[in-house]
Amino acid sequence: MRHPFIVANWKSNKTTSEIERWFELVVSAMPTPHAEVILCPSFPLLPMSQMLIEKYHLTWKLGAQDVSSFTEGKHTGEVNAKQLKNFVDYVLIGHSERRRELKETDEMLFEKVKRVQEVGLTPIFFVQDKDTPIPDTIKIVAYEPIFAIGTGNPDTPEHAESIAKYLKKSKNIQTVLYGGSVDHKNVSLFLSEGLIDGVVPGTASLDPKEFVQLTNNA
Ligand code: PGA
């Protein structure tokens, strides 16, 4: 059986000095995780996260939380897919916080997916419900209902499983993740049926102890 994915979405949290301690605590408490950990820090933390993953000989992968919809060039402040390729394997695209706060449209998100795939990275595409438009080339989808994000009020495992089933059958998605108030207590409920292939903890990924427990229970 394949190990579940744990996509740690740190969002706009942590500084370089804080992550050294986070790694130290997590690694000392979690020698060999039987999970595919994909750590998603903010852009400035990617180089140091890469160094720390090497330092501790972890099999983890890195993901970016965003990418430019443009290729390199005259786009001040944008981080393009080619620049990310030295650091990450995955890129999160379409998180509801960005759709809402940054006014990201389906059109922009579809462009981002293209940029990411052009350079050989894997997009993890976020949907808020079963009707969110998904580009045809997407293989990994994270289902995150808005009411569940950061609220302590997750979707029910049964409903999340029904969405996973639908996405796999009707939209040809290979891998479906669930996110929204996942923690060490509920993580196994989402993974037990095998329809959901992994989870996306936000809040629960920030605290080393909680993250270790969550990963162990997955
Ligand atoms: P949460 O965030 O675990 O804090 O609900 C998950 C996410 O938004 O990816």
Side-chain angles (χ1 to χ4, degrees):
M1 207 188 98
R2 211 176 61 184
H3 296 315
F5 288 97
I6 312 268
V7 180
N9 179 10
W10 277 354
K11 308 191 181 184
S12 191
N13 289 292
K14 300 197 184 290
T15 60
T16 45
S17 49
E18 286 167 0
I19 70 172
E20 282 200 87
R21 186 76 186 134
W22 186 93
F23 268 87
E24 207 178 291
L25 291 171
V26 166
V27 170
S28 62
M30 181 170 67
T32 35
H34 293 290
E36 302 269 345
V37 175
I38 302 172
L39 181 66
C40 303
S42 308
F43 293 140
L45 303 178
L46 284 172
M48 184 169 240
S49 301
Q50 194 177 44
M51 261 176 44
L52 289 164
I53 285 172
E54 276 173 27
K55 175 179 165 184
Y56 291 113
H57 308 289
L58 301 172
T59 55
W60 300 8
K61 300 279 194 260
L62 282 172
Q65 294 176 15
D66 183 35
V67 65
S68 177
S69 57
F70 302 109
T71 50
E72 68 189 333
K74 291 178 273 182
H75 310 290
T76 303
E78 289 292 89
V79 175
N80 69 61
K82 207 168 103 183
Q83 294 172 315
L84 288 175
K85 199 165 158 63
N86 293 335
F87 299 100
V88 307
D89 289 288
Y90 297 90
V91 180
L92 311 185
I93 296 178
H95 193 286
S96 61
E97 286 159 3
R98 298 195 58 83
R99 289 178 192 259
R100 189 182 70 242
E101 295 173 348
L102 285 307
K103 309 277 181 284
E104 290 191 339
T105 61
D106 291 332
E107 199 186 355
M108 273 166 79
L109 299 174
F110 278 47
E111 283 301 307
K112 289 181 183 214
V113 168
K114 279 191 211 155
R115 296 296 86 76
V116 161
Q117 290 177 329
E118 273 163 10
V119 302
L121 296 174
T122 303
I124 298 178
F125 197 82
F126 282 65
V127 304
Q128 289 70 50
D129 56 55
K130 74 180 203 348
D131 299 320
T132 308
I134 304 173
D136 291 339
T137 53
I138 287 291
K139 303 244 172 0
I140 308 181
V141 162
Y143 160 61
E144 290 201 347
I146 290 172
F147 67 80
I149 297 175
T151 58
N153 176 31
D155 200 352
T156 61
E158 296 73 29
H159 185 251
E161 278 156 9
S162 74
I163 300 274
K165 211 168 169 175
Y166 172 81
L167 291 171
K168 288 181 178 186
K169 262 197 134 154
S170 308
K171 306 263 172 153
N172 219 7
I173 302 301
Q174 279 173 9
T175 302
V176 178
L177 315 175
Y178 168 75
S181 298
V182 175
D183 60 22
H184 78 274
K185 292 197 221 92
N186 61 28
V187 63
S188 60
L189 302 176
F190 288 102
L191 299 173
S192 61
E193 290 298 316
L195 281 165
I196 298 169
D197 306 283
V199 290
V200 188
T203 313
S205 68
L206 296 173
D207 174 60
K209 203 169 140 210
E210 171 62 26
F211 185 65
V212 169
Q213 274 186 303
L214 185 154
T215 305
N216 286 341
N217 293 352

